[in-house]
Amino acid sequence: MTTREVAGFELRKVREHVWELPREGDMNVPARVLASESLLEEIGGDDTLEQLRNATHLPGIAAPALCMPDGHQGYGFPVGGVGAIDAENGCISPGAVGYDINCGVRMVRTDLTYDDVRGREEELVDALFEAIPSGLGGGGVIGGTADAIEGALERGVEWAVEEGYGVESDLARCEDEGRRLDARPEYVSQKAMDRGRNQMGSLGSGNHFLEVQRVTDVFREDVAAEYGLREDGIVVLIHCGSRGLGHQTCNDYLRRIEREHGDLLDDLPDKELAAAPAGSELAEEYYGAMGACINFAWANRQLITHQARETFGEVFDADPIDDLGMELLYDVAHNIAKKETHEIGVDADGNPAVGDAVADREERELYVHRKGATRAFPAGNADVPEVYRGVGQPVIIPGSMGAGSYVLRGGDESMSVSFGSTAHGAGRLMSRTQAKQEFWGGDVQDDLEDGQQIYVKAESGATIAEEAPGVYKDIDEVIRVSDDLGIGDKVARTFPVCNIKG
DNA sequence: ATGTAC
């Protein structure tokens, strides 16, 4: 048996790209890292492994706590973490969802080719930057009236399309059709709504961006054709979340858990893993509030999509849908928890088990926490929209602004390996603070333009430094692991053309 | 990630 010591943790190699931290002490289950040796080494460079081990202490966790190949340290629970927790006897943890509830990515395809855009990058990047609010604080594309915010929280993309910010076909091309039916806006605080009010249709800051890209490689022709992708085609990628509204909601519930469920908290190795016991009033309220924030984030990405379509229409003097073919390819959430039914291994007593201890497999309703992890359901799954059910759901994974991104399809192994999940990005290699010491925004911007013809426009130079290509892991290596494991299969690779950010 | 402040 191969073992490897990383950052003081002894990991057992289960098979290629699967590393296990065996159960010991108060761990309820083992932990597993899905990574190549080089990525594993990078994952050991911060507190990810300790956070992953801590996550195995969560009550009711029903299978190994998982770290995707792009994992890095987060608040309590690692980014790139997947935690499947019994929805009846376990718990739900806001820290295992993340502060930016339904941070996610969508891709819009077009009929344009790189030749159509070449030489017009600056015009396009300026127009997009003008049309789409970005940066910290307020200012959205629409005013947040009481009706608008209520509609977004309750009905997500459905509300936005009804208001004219999209087309009917957008709905089917979102996870959950862009609307969580179990959203309960009444459990979102007034303070959270006030923060979201002026941010409806805004990118935000940090790693959030809108990027025009060109398809450089197609790996699976048949699937790419189903997704409407072809080599040299132009696509638009939008990465953002629920802004101050989701952030405030996460904060509100973390504070309430501290006040109302201190006992559960005292048993956990890290206070930041704060969780509400399944079945408690607080768990129900958090789940409903989280669903409303999820809807808000979807409406936000829909409003930004609308602005991008309008802008392309003006720049290319054409109808964005009829002439430019700007249809939504897909929208994926990567900071969420969701009740899903999965098969888990159980021992003779019906308790969660792995390896030799597995006596049987049983279906359980679980809170699947995906924090910096993307749902990757395979072909045939009933939750994959009908248009894609034959090939598997699209999985959109952004890399850094200097490296490009990938479109994958949910792989056949994802249900048995990772509760139907894969990576969500390249994953950070260094902190924002360190990034600002290593890079200067203006220099990064000049290098991208002069060296790679990538046009970047941002509200703040500091953000460009924080997001410099050098602060990220190798996206190709992350994707190689996903593809090798069969949890998310390579369909196409893209390369940046222009990028706007906070 | 984030009105970068309890």
Side-chain angles (χ1 to χ4, degrees), chain A residues 424-436:
Chain A
H424 83 307
R428 293 193 82 84
L429 269 177
M430 64 177 84
S431 69
R432 295 180 183 283
T433 316
Q434 198 188 337
K436 278 182 282 195

Side-chain angles (χ1 to χ4, degrees), chain A residues 12 27 100 177 185 213 263 283 285 336-337 375-376 407 445 494:
Chain A
R12 194 174 63 85
M27 292 166 70
D100 190 4
E177 297 180 342
Q213 312 178 322
D263 48 337
E285 293 183 15
I336 53 130
R375 197 185 77 172
V407 178
Q445 202 170 8
T494 64

Side-chain angles (χ1 to χ4, degrees), chain A residues 214-232:
Chain A
R214 60 190 163 103
V215 177
T216 51
D217 303 272
V218 170
F219 306 103
R220 284 177 166 80
E221 285 285 353
D222 53 335
V223 184
E226 293 289 331
Y227 291 174
L229 297 175
R230 67 200 192 294
E231 214 169 295
D232 243 21

Side-chain angles (χ1 to χ4, degrees), chain A residues 470-490:
Chain A
V471 317
Y472 283 98
K473 300 196 230 302
D474 179 359
I475 185 76
D476 296 305
E477 182 68 356
V478 169
I479 301 303
R480 185 177 75 86
V481 171
S482 174
D483 190 90
D484 280 357
L485 282 169
I487 57 178
D489 309 326
K490 284 173 13 173

Side-chain angles (χ1 to χ4, degrees), chain A residues 56-369:
Chain A
T56 68
H57 291 240
L58 284 164
I61 187 162
L66 298 172
C67 177
M68 300 296 111
D70 56 335
H72 61 95
Q73 169 184 338
Y75 175 89
F77 193 90
V79 176
V82 175
I85 304 179
D86 196 294
E88 208 177 312
N89 307 307
C91 64
I92 185 162
S93 169
V97 170
Y99 267 94
D100 190 4
I101 297 168
N102 192 8
C103 182
V105 189
R106 58 166 55 187
M107 184 177 275
V108 178
R109 65 160 316 277
T110 78
D111 285 335
L112 295 163
T113 66
Y114 188 38
D115 277 344
D116 296 323
V117 174
R118 272 194 115 147
R120 303 186 65 180
E121 292 97 334
E122 275 179 88
E123 182 190 351
L124 186 59
V125 81
D126 286 346
L128 288 164
F129 192 76
E130 182 72 26
I132 297 162
S134 65
L136 281 173
V141 302
I142 65 160
T145 63
D147 280 354
I149 199 142
E150 196 182 303
L153 289 170
E154 183 80 42
R155 298 191 291 122
V157 176
E158 197 177 292
W159 165 82
V161 168
E162 217 170 87
E163 294 294 312
Y165 303 106
V167 290
E168 203 64 29
S169 62
D170 292 340
L171 292 169
R173 289 149 193 265
C174 292
E175 190 167 315
D176 292 327
E177 297 180 342
R179 179 184 181 185
R180 273 287 182 96
L181 292 168
D182 42 19
R184 300 291 296 273
E186 64 268 37
Y187 297 136
V188 175
S189 70
Q190 189 59 51
K191 191 176 178 186
M193 286 197 280
D194 287 343
R195 284 183 67 175
R197 198 171 300 286
N198 293 316
Q199 303 182 325
M200 295 186 70
S202 66
L203 272 178
S205 183
N207 63 356
H208 290 164
F209 63 84
L210 179 148
E211 192 167 90
V212 179
Q213 312 178 322
R214 60 190 163 103
V215 177
T216 51
D217 303 272
V218 170
F219 306 103
R220 284 177 166 80
E221 285 285 353
D222 53 335
V223 184
E226 293 289 331
Y227 291 174
L229 297 175
R230 67 200 192 294
E231 214 169 295
D232 243 21
I234 292 291
V235 297
V236 182
L237 193 139
I238 295 163
H239 177 202
C240 63
S242 51
R243 307 289 335 274
L245 182 134
H247 190 269
Q248 185 63 45
T249 301
C250 180
N251 228 316
D252 288 343
Y253 281 90
L254 286 170
R255 297 294 88 79
R256 275 189 65 188
I257 288 170
E258 282 172 11
R259 285 202 308 271
E260 299 170 32
H261 292 281
D263 48 337
L264 195 156
L265 215 62
D266 291 340
D267 291 339
L268 290 168
D270 181 353
K271 253 169 65 93
E272 294 184 356
L273 281 174
S280 68
E281 204 170 277
L282 191 48
E284 292 305 313
E285 293 183 15
Y286 172 69
Y287 192 69
M290 179 195 62
C293 294
I294 288 172
N295 287 342
F296 180 87
W298 271 324
N300 188 29
R301 290 199 284 278
Q302 186 65 35
L303 289 166
I304 292 169
T305 301
H306 174 75
Q307 290 300 96
R309 282 172 170 156
E310 294 290 298
T311 304
F312 269 74
E314 282 164 27
V315 169
F316 295 98
D317 193 24
D319 185 276
I321 307 279
D322 296 341
D323 302 328
L324 302 179
M326 293 184 76
E327 283 168 346
L328 183 59
L329 194 166
Y330 204 53
D331 181 306
V332 294
H334 59 217
N335 276 20
I336 53 130
K338 191 179 177 194
K339 280 182 192 166
E340 292 176 8
T341 302
H342 290 264
E343 265 195 3
I344 62 163
V346 293
D347 63 19
D349 300 324
N351 296 315
V354 292
D356 296 341
V358 175
D360 203 358
R361 296 188 69 79
E362 282 181 11
E363 283 203 335
R364 292 284 170 87
E365 185 168 61
L366 306 166
Y367 284 124
V368 179
H369 298 69

